[in-house]
Amino acid sequence: MSKKSTTLFDKVWDAHVVREIEDGPDILFIDRHFIHEVTSPVAFLGLKNRGLKVMFPEKTFATADHNTPTINQHLPVQDPLSAKQLEALENNTAKYGISHWGLGNPRNGIVHVIGPENGITLPGMTIVCGDSHTSTHGAFGAIAFGIGTSEVEMVLSSQCIMQPKPKKMRINVNGKLGWGITPKDVALYIISKLTTAGATGYFVEYAGEVFRDMSMEGRMTVCNMSIEMGARGGMVAPDETTFSYIKGREKAPTGQAWDDALAYWKTLKSDEDAVFDMEYHFDAADIEPMITYGTNPGMGIGISQSIPTAEEAGGGKASFEKALNYMGFNESEPMLGKKVDYVFIGSCTNGRIEDFRAFASVVKGRKKADHITAWIVPGSHVVEKQIREEGIYDILTEAGFQLRQPGCSACLAMNDDKIPAGKYAVSTSNRNFEGRQGPGSRTLLASPLVAAAAAVTGVVTDPRELLAQQELVQA
Amino acid sequence: MAYDKFTLLKSTAVPLPIENVDTDQIIPARFLKATERKGFGDNLFRDWRYDGDGNPKADFVLNDPTYSGKILVAGKNFGSGSSREHAAWAIYDYGFRCVVSSFFADIFKNNSLNVGILPVQVSPEFLDKLFQAIIANPGTELEVSLPDQLIRIVDTNESESFEINSYKKHNLMNGFDDIDYLQAMKEDIFAFAEKSRY
Ligand code: SF4
């Protein structure tokens, strides 16, 4: 009998189904559960009220990242509510025997940065966390998605989650990316084409030459943004790039276990004739550096283009006008040359070493624009260490920038890193919703290169111009 | 967390004809600092509802006494963005038991069902009809029947059916949640974990 051909997603999903409920969700076993201080306290409270235990504490990992300060982390946390959440995490993890890399721990950092960095995230796993950008871990060929607090309680108490099986979508991008085009641009481009609801109900597989050529950091950036088009998650089939990234990391398998794992991981790909419920094809040559002009991540354009009119953008006119009004922009205006007040590089989208290398490549030999406030926030202490060791720190300080300490920071502005009302921020994070980076803040999402170009010129600038000058100087 | 059972809901409704309402609008991040699930309703739609000084904004629908009720009728793609369940808690705590839209973001839909809010997905045409009826007459009553999977405009008797899987329907009607179910199958889970690869 011939085996039914399946997708990568089916292979991983089906291997984790404990039970199927008729006309209901599947019960899915979860291999790794990440928790943080903001979405876990109420879940632990629920456990306590029901008198339940944590079923497999060794499968859960905790970090403090969402509300933590990015300066003076050695001092007690000032905000009493944040301090209380951090304390709750510390107590809960100690009580149930869960490993906790809190503030001050050298492995502390943003949850979706430290999972891969320490070899906790592996191909073929199911991974959940009470944060929607859990989709990041899909870069390893894992099924990874964000969950709500009730579901956090579910996973703590039963290591399982109930989920209707999503439909499958494949997004192919073929060809070669142009010079100065980064994975973030690929993600923003796809979202601008699909809209923020375009992949709702689907799990995405990214395929094609562009993703095959991409580094793990880049794949993480793309998978991270999957949620911004409504998808539960996105994944890339593991390959040599994946395996060499994982090998030697702290929690990665070794010896015989590595060989066994590798043999299995190599089977993790969609069959040649696998059928997807939806499929898209894009050409890498069509992608230029992207920037958003509105209040959701789908409102993005190539940096040299003008803001569309409501008609051109499609969708509801009232919502479009509300967005432009909030941003203080007009239809048909160019984005290039718009004044910027703040620049934020960091977050689980673009807070990895490759992102800071890109940022530094533009900044090198230049100075921060006087009126710009820049928050440069590594995704983890490991990234921070790399920044120092690779000389990026020196490039930054010579240009007048300061390096902050790791955390989510201005990605969601739960700590003090808030963009003031009315100010414009070019941000490498993932959401430009109204007030996301502080009440009244106006966010322009972009890549680390575009962020760097804005940081040194003070306005929205095509980074390719600056990179070209750089090359001339060096030649 | 226990919630009220849901069977039949008859109520006036509050219209929010805006698309892509994300969970950062429903409850901004700075209000996520609680370690208990209490009082989130006060900050529901905080930045649309109050100005920087905490004064109510007259043009926002929750501040308009014309509209009230236990049903929120909202534009397409409601609840996108952050997975924060706090968004669903805020909606529940404020007093809504049902949200109607022509499209919901996945995580929000799951979170709602887990906290006892019924998300009712209707066609874009029926959604328009609802907005028109409510705005023309804020006293318009809607009836949402979970057993029949039907939403009806009481005055005109126009109705549309909606989807929900029978497992979730059963849970909502009985006030059960997934944790009860999972606890009852622990043996199977332990057995599964035995042969798990990771
Ligand atoms: S950086 Fe932003 S998106 Fe990433 S985990 Fe933190 S808050 Fe969530």
Side-chain angles (χ1 to χ4, degrees):
Chain A
M1 219 177 77
S2 72
K3 205 173 124 281
K4 198 172 143 266
S5 64
T6 49
T7 67
L8 164 63
F9 174 77
D10 291 308
K11 286 177 189 175
V12 180
W13 181 280
D14 295 348
H16 289 86
V17 175
V18 182
R19 185 187 286 179
E20 288 173 31
I21 301 178
E22 213 190 314
D23 192 28
D26 284 351
I27 293 165
L28 209 60
F29 190 79
I30 298 302
D31 296 315
R32 290 291 177 271
H33 182 202
F34 293 106
I35 58 173
H36 59 82
E37 74 279 20
V38 173
T39 55
S40 70
V42 174
F44 281 109
L45 195 65
L47 278 192
K48 187 170 152 234
N49 292 342
R50 291 180 199 243
L52 297 175
K53 288 209 279 280
V54 177
M55 200 177 199
F56 295 106
E58 69 280 10
K59 293 186 192 292
T60 296
F61 295 82
T63 183
D65 56 1
H66 277 61
N67 72 22
T68 51
T70 53
I71 45 167
N72 294 327
Q73 287 186 351
H74 61 288
L75 298 177
V77 173
Q78 292 296 313
D79 174 25
L81 293 174
S82 296
K84 203 172 158 206
Q85 284 190 327
L86 294 169
E87 196 188 303
L89 186 67
E90 196 164 335
N91 294 339
N92 286 324
T93 49
K95 177 172 166 192
Y96 293 104
I98 294 168
S99 110
H100 174 224
W101 297 343
L103 272 189
N105 187 305
R107 289 171 299 190
N108 172 261
I110 303 174
V111 57
H112 311 311
V113 175
I114 65 171
E117 199 168 68
N118 291 284
I120 302 172
T121 301
L122 299 174
M125 280 183 166
T126 47
I127 301 172
V128 295
C129 171
D131 180 283
S132 53
H133 293 93
T134 308
S135 58
T136 311
H137 307 263
F140 291 78
I143 290 183
F145 53 90
I147 58 176
T149 296
S150 294
E151 293 169 316
V152 172
E153 187 181 339
M154 234 177 265
V155 179
L156 288 172
S157 59
S158 69
Q159 205 58 39
C160 283
I161 192 156
M162 291 193 173
Q163 287 289 308
K165 191 173 182 179
K167 289 181 284 186
K168 288 151 289 183
M169 176 187 289
R170 182 160 61 187
I171 298 177
N172 305 277
V173 187
N174 279 299
K176 296 272 179 215
L177 289 175
W179 183 67
I181 312 300
T182 69
K184 181 65 163 293
D185 301 309
V186 176
L188 286 173
Y189 177 82
I190 295 171
I191 301 163
S192 77
K193 295 292 171 198
L194 267 71
T195 79
T196 51
T200 303
Y202 291 90
F203 215 95
V204 174
E205 179 178 341
Y206 297 98
E209 194 182 352
V210 162
F211 303 108
R212 275 199 303 276
D213 288 350
M214 210 177 256
S215 67
M216 285 316 295
E217 284 86 352
R219 292 178 191 179
M220 285 188 248
T221 300
V222 172
C223 288
N224 172 282
M225 296 289 287
S226 305
I227 178 75
E228 306 309 337
M229 51 191 179
R232 276 326 289 278
M235 62 204 301
V236 177
D239 58 10
E240 288 306 323
T241 307
T242 323
F243 309 143
S244 58
Y245 178 96
I246 297 169
K247 195 160 191 184
R249 293 192 184 258
E250 184 179 332
K251 306 257 176 195
T254 51
Q256 187 60 43
W258 170 264
D259 295 340
D260 293 348
L262 198 61
Y264 172 60
W265 295 345
K266 287 184 173 167
T267 69
L268 294 174
K269 50 178 175 252
S270 291
D271 296 332
E272 290 285 334
D273 50 351
V275 179
F276 290 80
D277 300 289
M278 181 79 98
E279 190 142 9
Y280 288 95
H281 295 271
F282 297 109
D283 185 350
D286 294 339
I287 306 175
E288 66 166 322
M290 296 288 295
I291 193 155
T292 64
Y293 59 87
T295 56
N296 73 53
M299 301 174 86
I301 49 175
I303 197 158
S304 65
Q305 295 166 21
S306 298
I307 297 172
T309 61
E311 285 71 31
E312 286 161 357
K317 194 171 158 69
S319 302
F320 185 82
E321 282 169 357
K322 183 175 188 300
L324 284 201
N325 190 29
Y326 179 86
M327 293 301 293
F329 292 158
N330 298 304
E331 294 180 338
S332 309
E333 273 177 0
M335 286 303 288
L336 285 174
K338 283 201 179 296
K339 184 166 174 271
V340 175
D341 307 294
Y342 282 72
V343 167
F344 170 57
I345 169 161
S347 88
C348 60
T349 310
N350 286 122
R352 296 181 192 82
I353 187 61
E354 213 172 67
D355 303 313
F356 294 94
R357 285 181 197 142
F359 191 86
S361 73
V362 172
V363 160
K364 192 168 188 207
R366 296 193 163 88
K367 293 279 178 224
K368 181 182 85 62
D370 284 340
H371 69 276
I372 291 279
T373 305
W375 290 333
I376 301 183
V377 186
S380 71
H381 283 292
V382 171
V383 174
E384 183 186 349
K385 200 160 154 257
Q386 284 173 296
I387 289 174
R388 289 178 195 274
E389 284 169 2
E390 292 187 12
I392 295 172
Y393 180 79
D394 301 322
I395 296 174
L396 295 176
T397 32
E398 272 162 34
F401 295 100
Q402 280 167 354
L403 186 66
R404 299 174 81 91
Q405 291 172 298
C408 295
S409 179
C411 174
L412 89 167
M414 268 191 89
N415 65 358
D416 288 340
D417 306 345
K418 293 180 174 53
I419 312 293
K423 297 291 184 195
Y424 291 97
V426 172
S427 176
T428 68
S429 56
N430 39 59
R431 287 185 172 138
N432 50 350
F433 298 147
E434 286 184 32
R436 168 79 177 184
Q437 298 197 285
S441 61
R442 292 159 159 172
T443 301
L444 312 176
L445 297 176
S447 75
L449 290 179
V450 173
V456 295
T457 63
V459 296
V460 174
T461 303
D462 189 333
R464 291 173 297 188
E465 283 171 30
L466 303 186
L467 286 168
Q469 292 167 13
Q470 212 94 324
E471 295 221 329
L472 281 179
V473 174
Q474 277 160 16
Chain B
M1 183 88 187
Y3 52 80
D4 299 339
K5 295 176 190 178
F6 195 115
T7 43
L8 192 81
L9 178 65
K10 195 171 169 187
S11 166
T12 51
V14 177
L16 186 67
I18 298 171
E19 294 176 4
N20 303 316
V21 174
D22 59 77
T23 52
D24 271 83
Q25 308 317 315
I26 300 174
I27 183 101
R30 60 189 191 281
F31 300 111
L32 307 185
K33 292 192 177 175
T35 45
E36 284 176 273
R37 200 187 129 175
K38 278 203 293 239
F40 286 97
D42 294 344
N43 295 314
L44 175 66
F45 291 115
R46 177 75 202 198
D47 294 336
W48 286 354
R49 204 165 139 198
Y50 300 103
D51 65 19
D53 302 322
N55 302 311
K57 294 184 184 175
D59 59 351
F60 186 61
V61 68
L62 292 192
N63 297 323
D64 181 348
T66 323
Y67 300 104
S68 64
K70 293 185 172 187
I71 301 172
L72 179 65
V73 182
K76 171 175 98 186
N77 195 25
F78 188 81
S80 59
S82 157
S83 58
R84 58 188 69 163
E85 193 170 300
H86 311 68
W89 299 343
I91 289 171
Y92 188 96
D93 190 49
Y94 184 85
F96 292 117
R97 291 294 173 271
C98 173
V99 183
V100 183
S101 177
S102 57
F103 199 82
F104 288 96
D106 277 335
I107 303 184
F108 178 80
K109 196 193 273 179
N110 277 349
N111 287 343
S112 299
L113 289 164
N114 282 335
V115 307
I117 297 168
L118 178 64
V120 171
Q121 185 163 329
V122 297
S123 65
E125 297 73 35
F126 195 74
L127 186 70
D128 277 345
K129 210 173 268 181
L130 290 176
F131 281 135
Q132 281 165 19
I134 299 162
I135 291 164
N137 172 17
T140 299
E141 276 195 308
L142 306 181
E143 188 182 78
V144 180
S145 164
L146 182 54
D148 298 335
Q149 296 181 215
L150 203 71
I151 175 166
R152 189 167 71 90
I153 304 174
V154 176
D155 281 350
T156 62
N157 213 19
E158 288 167 289
S159 68
E160 194 170 273
S161 61
F162 60 86
E163 299 269 320
I164 180 169
N165 71 54
S166 48
Y167 168 80
K168 280 291 177 193
K169 178 174 171 178
H170 177 256
N171 270 2
L172 266 184
M173 286 176 61
N174 294 286
F176 293 160
D177 68 16
D178 293 347
I179 293 174
D180 302 327
Y181 186 101
L182 290 167
Q183 284 303 309
M185 58 174 284
K186 267 186 143 168
E187 292 314 311
D188 285 12
I189 298 172
F190 276 118
F192 191 93
E194 277 292 302
K195 48 184 183 59
S196 144
R197 196 177 285 272
Y198 298 101

